[in-house]
Amino acid sequence: DCEKQNYCPTLIENGYLMREWEWEEHDTYIGEYRCYPGFELRNPKIFSTSKQDYEEKYGWGACGEDRDRNPDPENMPRCVQPGSPEPCNMPEKILNGYKVEEIKNELYDMVDQASYKCNSGYMMVKTWKGDIGWCRHDGTFELPYCMAPKEYYTIEFELVPGFSKMENAGRVRARHVYADGSTGNWYAGCDDHFNGPAAGAICRSLGFRHGKQITADKKMKPISDLPFGMTNVYCYHDDTLMMSPSCNGDDYGQFGWPLCAPEEQIAVQCSTKCGRLTLASTWWSEVEKCHAP
């Protein structure tokens, strides 16, 4: 019988071992791997605690100290098709609701979405995919959630272009829409801390896919007689609607935030198509990020 020479496998699926060494501090052998051409390497989570950790330990796998035992797959890197999603376990429950059906990504043959339903007596605050939630590459989820009718509302947006000829662009006005269909008064958002993902959230509410913050031109004058209602409007992810838990909006005039001039009304431009595309190579980043042209 031939004695196994390496502590780490010489091959992983679609990849190979470059070198191995003993990491005495952690009582394990480390293998450093690379992928064959046409595949993308993903670090195991134990070597992905931060961007710096990911970069410093790129391709590392923890193989243990027993030549005769295969390492835990969770501790080994993977070589996958570029842009493929990370496997995820969609939550069984959402706020006042529950999972109905898991949805498989047919391209990559793995579950990365699920549909949800509210408990009896509650109304759903939907994602831009309706009752469907999904997992992101950074390990977070975008999920619908459910509220009691007396607490329920969504936000309706309109673009007011003025005399500007910019396509699908304008100052933004918003109002709350309640469970019984009644609406609140129109208000503007102050652009303090406003960002691109929040512009995308507004545009998705209007039926577009993407959006960006713009500086209004001279013909896109502030909407007259429109009070400010929100400030510090921003989102952490560029795949949401404004009611998402990953978005923020503070009531205008609260917490001592500075007052805003009419020229600071939020302005956006929306787009259905994806403009410049940025591909990310690390699991904590979005695989593709669209920037409206």
Side-chain angles (χ1 to χ4, degrees), residues 40-55 57-59 77-78 80 83-87 135-140 237 279-288:
E40 178 179 282
L41 191 142
R42 302 275 175 86
N43 269 16
K45 290 188 177 180
I46 59 170
F47 299 133
S48 306
T49 57
S50 67
K51 183 175 181 179
Q52 181 179 354
D53 185 51
Y54 194 101
E55 293 174 347
K57 298 169 183 173
Y58 181 71
R78 297 178 300 116
V80 300
S84 64
E86 289 294 299
C135 57
R136 301 187 181 95
H137 291 250
D138 62 2
T140 62
H237 299 280
L279 294 179
S281 60
T282 51
W283 70 270
W284 63 80
S285 300
E286 296 176 67
V287 169
E288 65 175 36

Side-chain angles (χ1 to χ4, degrees), residues 212-228:
K212 66 176 181 178
Q213 181 182 12
I214 61 172
T215 300
D217 60 31
K218 294 181 179 179
K219 294 184 178 181
M220 194 182 292
K221 296 185 180 298
I223 306 169
S224 60
D225 300 321
L226 186 67
F228 283 104

Side-chain angles (χ1 to χ4, degrees), residues 94-107:
I94 57 174
L95 180 65
N96 300 317
Y98 55 93
K99 182 170 69 177
V100 176
E101 182 182 12
E102 292 187 335
I103 302 172
K104 181 175 287 189
N105 185 320
E106 295 182 359
L107 180 61

Side-chain angles (χ1 to χ4, degrees), residues 105-271:
N105 185 320
E106 295 182 359
L107 180 61
Y108 301 107
D109 194 34
M110 65 175 66
V111 171
D112 62 356
Q113 301 180 74
S115 61
Y116 290 88
K117 190 173 182 178
C118 293
N119 297 335
S120 178
Y122 290 87
M123 299 179 65
M124 181 173 288
V125 178
K126 297 179 179 181
T127 69
W128 72 271
K129 294 184 180 182
D131 63 357
I132 294 174
W134 58 90
C135 57
R136 301 187 181 95
H137 291 250
D138 62 2
T140 62
F141 296 91
E142 185 63 24
L143 302 170
Y145 59 95
C146 304
M147 302 175 66
K150 64 180 181 180
E151 300 172 344
Y152 176 92
Y153 71 93
T154 58
I155 305 176
E156 179 183 3
F157 296 96
E158 284 189 358
L159 299 183
V160 182
F163 295 101
S164 174
K165 295 183 179 180
M166 292 182 66
E167 187 176 1
N168 300 324
R171 302 271 187 179
V172 178
R173 67 174 187 169
R175 65 180 177 180
H176 290 188
V177 180
Y178 299 100
D180 61 0
S182 63
T183 58
N185 295 323
W186 290 106
Y187 61 86
C190 177
D191 64 7
D192 287 355
H193 303 119
F194 187 68
N195 65 0
I202 291 171
C203 289
R204 277 182 286 276
S205 299
L206 294 168
F208 297 92
R209 282 295 304 275
H210 316 289
K212 66 176 181 178
Q213 181 182 12
I214 61 172
T215 300
D217 60 31
K218 294 181 179 179
K219 294 184 178 181
M220 194 182 292
K221 296 185 180 298
I223 306 169
S224 60
D225 300 321
L226 186 67
F228 283 104
M230 300 292 287
T231 188
N232 295 325
V233 179
Y234 56 85
C235 299
Y236 289 105
H237 299 280
D238 199 7
D239 61 355
T240 71
L241 298 179
M242 193 55 69
M243 292 292 291
S244 167
S246 70
C247 292
N248 180 79
D250 295 327
D251 290 337
Y252 182 75
Q254 301 294 316
F255 309 114
W257 299 119
L259 299 180
C260 299
E263 290 73 17
E264 295 177 89
Q265 291 177 359
I266 288 171
V268 303
Q269 183 176 28
C270 301
S271 172

